Amino acid sequence: MTYEIEIGRGKRGRRAYSLDDIAIIPNRRTRDPKDVSVSWQIDAYQFDMPVIAAPMDSAMSPATAIALGKLGGLGVLDLEGLWTRYEDPQPVLDEIAALEDETNSPAVTGRMQELYLAPIQPELITSRLAEIREAGVTVAGSLTPQRTQEHYKTVVAAGVDIFVIRGTTVSAEHVSKNHEPLNLKQFIYELDVPVIVGGAAGYTPALHLMRTGAAGVLVGFGGGATTTTRRALGIHSPMASAISDVAAARRDYMDESGGRYVHVIADGGMGTSGDIVKAIAMGADAVMLGSALARAEEAPGKGWHWGQEAHHTELPRGDRANVGTVGPLEEVLFGPGHHTNGTSNLIGALRRSMATTGYSDLKEFQRVDVVVSPYEGN
């Protein structure tokens, strides 16, 4: 059986689906939402909810990472962001928030590029991670593959619990004539902490990343509220199909490895509670959220949201987006909600969806029935 369709006489392609294209449907059983468990565990670390904060300056500071950790999630600090470039990044964050309110503004992009030219200071990596550790929550920090070799020793020495290697796309086999690439398999083998790595957009790249020894694989490419990767590079991977493909790689890798389970973490394009629900229904174990958490009152971006792509020095492919402010972080996650558009009480919505379809935990919920239902505004 082939899932490819003819695009033209000289090209065929596989039909892929975004999270907007699918819907979950109830079954014969329902439950009380209070009886539903949304807890999640990766390696030795247990969390009350399957939420990881994206390492983005607009959403995560040491303080918000601590707040999320105390609420039962995992905050990940961008160790190449403003918090490791400036002793006091608040004036820089204030300036970014105050830049002209215009999408696709070259002036805004240019100024952000200038602000992010400040060098990364290893001592700030140490002090920021120490601040999170002193609060008694799980410590996680993120580097891009390009910077991992340079800074990972500082990160590990600072006492990180979970190491995240996150890029637009990360492969187990990067080819370069100009420099020695990061050997992921050797790197992960030599570390004493679990590593989450990605993004991966399909079955084969995810399977290769799992074979490196990663504890979790991030799924996503070209999605999210701020990225313009699809317009700039022509690359995009609809999330529903991508998550399902990577979940299939997880299943096959379990057989191949004799039972080793690698967590699938959906990353990007999940701005509402319904997106989170459908990501887990497609096979994700947890979700990495950016814009959804950038809407919290405590978020450093003050209602503005941007990622590393927005200030790339040579080929910026992201905008600073105005996502607004919904309420305190606890309200965003646990309610009570005052918004009808899925931007508050994210975990309450997940519980209710699981209860409505009759499932008691996240692993069971991955078996829920789904239908292809192209989005029409409801």
Side-chain angles (χ1 to χ4, degrees):
M1 179 182 295
T2 178
Y3 295 95
E4 290 187 342
I5 60 174
E6 187 176 282
I7 299 170
R9 293 189 178 185
K11 201 73 172 180
R12 297 180 66 86
R14 187 166 67 100
R15 177 70 170 94
Y17 298 96
S18 70
L19 293 174
D20 278 342
D21 291 326
I22 68 162
I24 64 172
I25 52 176
N27 209 320
R28 64 180 178 86
R29 180 186 291 116
T30 58
R31 293 182 184 276
D32 187 327
K34 294 179 181 178
D35 296 334
V36 169
S37 170
V38 294
S39 64
W40 172 64
Q41 180 172 345
I42 182 168
D43 203 82
Y45 301 96
Q46 179 85 30
F47 301 96
D48 294 335
M49 57 181 168
V51 171
I52 305 174
M56 304 170 83
D57 283 337
S58 53
M60 278 293 107
S61 65
T64 51
I66 291 168
L68 181 61
K70 290 184 175 180
L71 288 171
L74 175 63
V76 183
L77 192 66
D78 179 7
L79 300 179
E80 300 174 34
L82 298 174
W83 292 93
T84 60
R85 296 175 189 265
Y86 295 90
E87 184 70 43
D88 180 11
Q90 194 58 55
V92 181
L93 290 162
D94 293 342
E95 180 179 347
I96 293 174
L99 292 172
E100 63 179 287
D101 186 0
E102 181 183 340
T103 304
N104 302 325
S105 168
V108 171
T109 299
R111 182 54 182 152
M112 290 182 68
Q113 289 171 320
E114 291 173 357
L115 292 170
Y116 276 89
L117 285 176
I120 297 169
Q121 302 179 46
E123 62 272 18
L124 287 180
I125 293 178
T126 301
S127 64
R128 303 307 188 199
L129 293 177
E131 181 181 346
I132 299 172
R133 174 166 292 283
E134 287 168 7
V137 300
T138 304
V139 184
S142 176
L143 293 171
T144 60
Q146 295 84 355
R147 299 271 195 171
T148 295
Q149 292 279 32
E150 181 180 358
H151 296 294
Y152 83 91
K153 290 183 179 178
T154 302
V155 176
V156 173
V160 73
D161 295 314
I162 297 176
F163 196 110
V164 179
I165 301 175
R166 183 177 186 259
T168 306
T169 185
V170 178
S171 68
E173 184 179 353
H174 178 70
V175 179
S176 174
K177 295 180 179 179
N178 301 315
H179 62 272
E180 186 67 26
L182 175 67
N183 185 326
L184 269 177
K185 188 169 186 176
Q186 180 180 345
F187 175 80
I188 292 174
Y189 177 78
E190 292 176 353
L191 281 187
D192 291 329
V193 298
V195 177
I196 296 172
V197 61
Y203 175 92
T204 300
L207 185 60
H208 283 287
L209 288 179
M210 292 172 185
R211 288 169 176 164
T212 67
V217 171
L218 299 171
V219 184
F221 189 101
T226 64
T227 60
T228 60
T229 301
R230 184 170 186 167
R231 296 201 300 271
L233 299 182
I235 301 176
H236 178 65
S237 181
M239 281 295 284
S241 294
I243 296 168
S244 179
D245 287 345
V246 177
R250 174 186 61 203
R251 176 200 63 210
D252 293 348
Y253 178 69
M254 280 189 69
D255 291 340
E256 173 188 304
S257 63
R260 184 173 182 270
Y261 191 92
V262 179
H263 291 263
V264 173
I265 301 163
D267 178 13
M270 290 168 294
T272 66
S273 54
D275 296 327
I276 297 168
V277 168
K278 289 186 281 188
I280 294 174
M282 293 307 298
D285 298 290
V287 295
M288 178 171 273
L289 303 180
S291 62
L293 300 180
R295 298 189 185 105
E297 290 177 359
E298 300 92 329
K302 298 181 177 179
W304 290 95
H305 185 46
W306 65 91
Q308 290 182 330
E309 302 91 351
H311 51 78
H312 192 281
T313 55
E314 297 176 2
L315 184 60
R317 49 193 185 276
D319 294 323
R320 184 199 57 151
N322 189 349
V323 297
T325 299
V326 167
L329 180 62
E330 187 169 4
E331 182 179 311
V332 169
L333 291 167
F334 298 111
H338 305 294
H339 302 78
T340 61
N341 58 359
T343 58
S344 63
N345 199 0
L346 304 178
I347 302 305
L350 173 60
R351 282 183 176 276
R352 186 164 294 274
S353 291
M354 293 171 64
T356 300
T357 51
Y359 294 91
S360 60
D361 61 41
L362 296 172
K363 199 63 197 168
E364 282 187 2
F365 188 57
Q366 291 174 351
R367 302 198 301 265
V368 69
D369 291 335
V370 301
V371 294
V372 176
S373 175
Y375 183 67
E376 296 178 356
N378 295 316

